[in-house]
Amino acid sequence: MFAAENGLKGDPRLQAISRAIRVVPDFPKPGIMFQDITTLLLDHKAFKDTVDIFVDRYRDMDVSVVAGVEARGFMFGPAIALAIGAKFVPLRKPRKLPGEVISESYVLEYGTDCLEMHVGAVEPGERVIVIDDLVATGGTLSAAIKLLERVGAEVVECACVIGLPEVKDRCGIKGKPLYILVEPRLLDECC
Amino acid sequence: MSAYKDNDPRIHGIKTRIRVVPNFPKPGIMFQDITTLLLDPQAFKDTIDLFVERYQGKNISVVAGIEARGFIFGPPIALAIGAKFVPLRKPKKLPGEVISEEYTLEYGRDCLQMHVGAVEPGDRALVVDDLIATGGTLCAAMNLLERVGAQVVECACVIELPDLKGRERLHGKPLYVLVESH
């Protein structure tokens, strides 16, 4: 599930990617140590390495769709899609996508939210990777998987740059494998 | 100051992949939907290649993308030309210290934010979004970058709606677009 256990043990790129991520305490609310990937995007080599690691993994897996979760999934997904020759499909918050959509709601800590996908963007039988910057509870990724399965696609894997401890010992999300590059940073490790 | 690559054979494929959705987000608006362009890997690649060919070797150090569709086009361009990617976001999305720029909408005001420290004085920047309409958002984006001492080299969009004259709101900065829609 973690790249380091999956063929990339000791890969120096993973260390550089981890170091490039900034921890912001108490955002969006007290007690949360927010994993900020924007600093990774400022480090061209580390950002390129992030995309390259995913591309190397998926280029020979016959993937025809990369689905990215709004909005940070949009920062990683398209570059991967372009490199492997796949379509990019944005999964968005409600009322952002024009035209006909399907919706899947999911549970938050307080309340619910909803993810939408265009009707017709993904066809039955397509092999799909779902990408987001981070996986915590897996609620958003579960909703994404459901959307794709509802239109008859096959979710091959979910891919995230960062995986929180809650997912470390799980067997993927809804039975789908999860591929993660790094664990969350602790504040003390930060430069 | 601006360019329409009408004579590039790739433009036709890009233009025909953009879907127009009438009456979205409200009656009377003909929405230019780029998601269908993203479903055609060759046309999406051509879109990025056209921007990369224009900007590589020009010492661009920052590509700033406007939330959220600017996040789809900006990062691939940044990666290809060796630049940083900086997301410009709606309020309260970016953690840590930000600077904000307000701008006027048809009804009311909105706000764009950028991280303090992401862009440094002297950085040469591109601003990227999927579409320019009135130019209000692009203008706010340029202001953010200039406030921290960056030089905005050009604004780059896939689509322009020339009838809305957004080009005139860019303080004389050049605008480069791939297709126009009237």
Side-chain angles (χ1 to χ4, degrees):
Chain A
M1 210 191 315
F2 275 85
E5 297 148 14
N6 242 294
L8 292 186
K9 187 177 168 68
D11 190 317
R13 293 177 299 176
L14 292 178
Q15 278 179 47
I17 290 165
S18 179
R19 277 198 306 269
I21 294 164
R22 174 173 75 150
V23 178
V24 181
D26 302 319
F27 182 90
K29 51 186 205 209
I32 308 249
M33 302 297 275
F34 189 87
Q35 304 289 311
D36 180 17
I37 51 87
T38 65
T39 42
L40 172 62
L41 309 177
L42 297 178
D43 180 335
H44 177 262
K45 181 172 190 318
F47 183 20
K48 185 174 185 307
D49 286 342
T50 303
V51 171
D52 286 349
I53 290 171
F54 289 126
V55 168
D56 287 343
R57 181 171 179 80
Y58 298 121
R59 67 155 41 95
D60 295 322
M61 286 175 68
D62 218 13
V63 170
S64 57
V65 177
V66 174
V69 179
E70 166 162 23
R72 289 182 289 266
F74 292 5
M75 299 178 196
F76 298 95
I80 298 167
L82 285 162
I84 68 174
K87 304 191 285 198
F88 178 72
V89 173
L91 305 181
R92 298 210 67 174
K93 293 292 165 69
R95 296 178 297 283
K96 301 294 185 70
L97 290 171
E100 207 186 345
V101 297
I102 62 169
S103 301
E104 184 73 33
S105 54
Y106 60 102
V107 174
L108 297 172
E109 190 182 5
Y110 298 109
T112 61
D113 207 338
C114 183
L115 214 54
E116 294 187 340
M117 180 171 77
H118 265 140
V119 168
V122 178
E123 291 172 352
E126 293 213 74
R127 288 167 56 81
V128 185
I129 300 295
V130 183
I131 178 121
D132 205 355
D133 64 322
L134 178 146
V135 53
T137 62
T140 317
L141 284 178
S142 293
I145 293 167
K146 284 188 199 159
L147 276 173
L148 291 156
E149 292 188 331
R150 278 167 60 188
V151 298
E154 178 195 346
V155 176
V156 172
E157 195 158 84
C158 295
C160 299
V161 180
I162 306 160
L164 259 46
E166 293 105 288
V167 294
K168 193 170 179 157
D169 298 317
R170 286 168 60 175
C171 300
I173 307 272
K174 287 179 60 62
K176 298 298 177 182
L178 185 57
Y179 185 73
I180 299 167
L181 299 192
V182 298
E183 296 194 31
R185 297 201 61 192
L186 306 173
L187 190 57
D188 290 339
E189 296 170 28
C190 264
C191 39
Chain B
M1 291 265 284
S2 61
Y4 299 96
K5 294 268 225 156
D6 286 333
N7 51 351
D8 190 298
R10 293 171 287 184
I11 292 289
H12 176 75
I14 292 166
K15 195 174 172 104
T16 54
R17 296 300 183 275
I18 295 165
R19 172 174 75 154
V20 178
V21 180
N23 302 314
F24 183 90
K26 53 186 204 209
I29 308 252
M30 301 295 278
F31 188 88
Q32 303 285 321
D33 180 16
I34 49 88
T35 66
T36 39
L37 172 64
L38 311 176
L39 297 180
D40 180 333
Q42 186 60 55
F44 184 23
K45 181 181 185 303
D46 288 342
T47 304
I48 300 299
D49 285 349
L50 281 161
F51 290 122
V52 170
E53 287 163 20
R54 182 173 179 83
Y55 299 119
Q56 67 195 350
K58 299 254 170 60
N59 245 301
I60 306 285
S61 51
V62 173
V63 174
I66 297 178
E67 167 158 25
R69 288 181 289 265
F71 295 176
I72 295 174
F73 297 96
I77 297 167
L79 285 166
I81 68 174
K84 306 186 279 199
F85 177 73
V86 174
L88 304 182
R89 299 208 66 173
K90 294 290 166 70
K92 299 187 286 289
K93 302 290 186 72
L94 289 171
E97 208 186 345
V98 297
I99 61 169
S100 300
E101 182 78 18
E102 272 203 334
Y103 60 103
T104 315
L105 295 172
E106 190 181 7
Y107 298 106
R109 301 177 67 74
D110 206 338
C111 183
L112 212 56
Q113 293 187 331
M114 181 173 76
H115 265 139
V116 168
V119 176
E120 290 171 349
D123 265 329
R124 284 167 53 80
L126 282 186
V127 185
V128 174
D129 207 355
D130 65 323
L131 177 147
I132 175 172
T134 62
T137 319
L138 277 174
C139 187
M142 284 177 16
N143 289 345
L144 278 172
L145 291 158
E146 290 181 338
R147 279 167 59 190
V148 298
Q151 177 198 0
V152 175
V153 174
E154 195 157 83
C155 294
C157 300
V158 180
I159 305 160
E160 180 185 11
L161 306 181
D163 301 339
L164 297 180
K165 304 195 195 305
R167 194 176 280 270
E168 296 168 18
R169 284 188 72 172
L170 303 180
H171 303 156
K173 287 292 181 184
L175 169 71
Y176 178 72
V177 305
L178 303 185
V179 306
E180 288 182 13
S181 183
H182 294 270

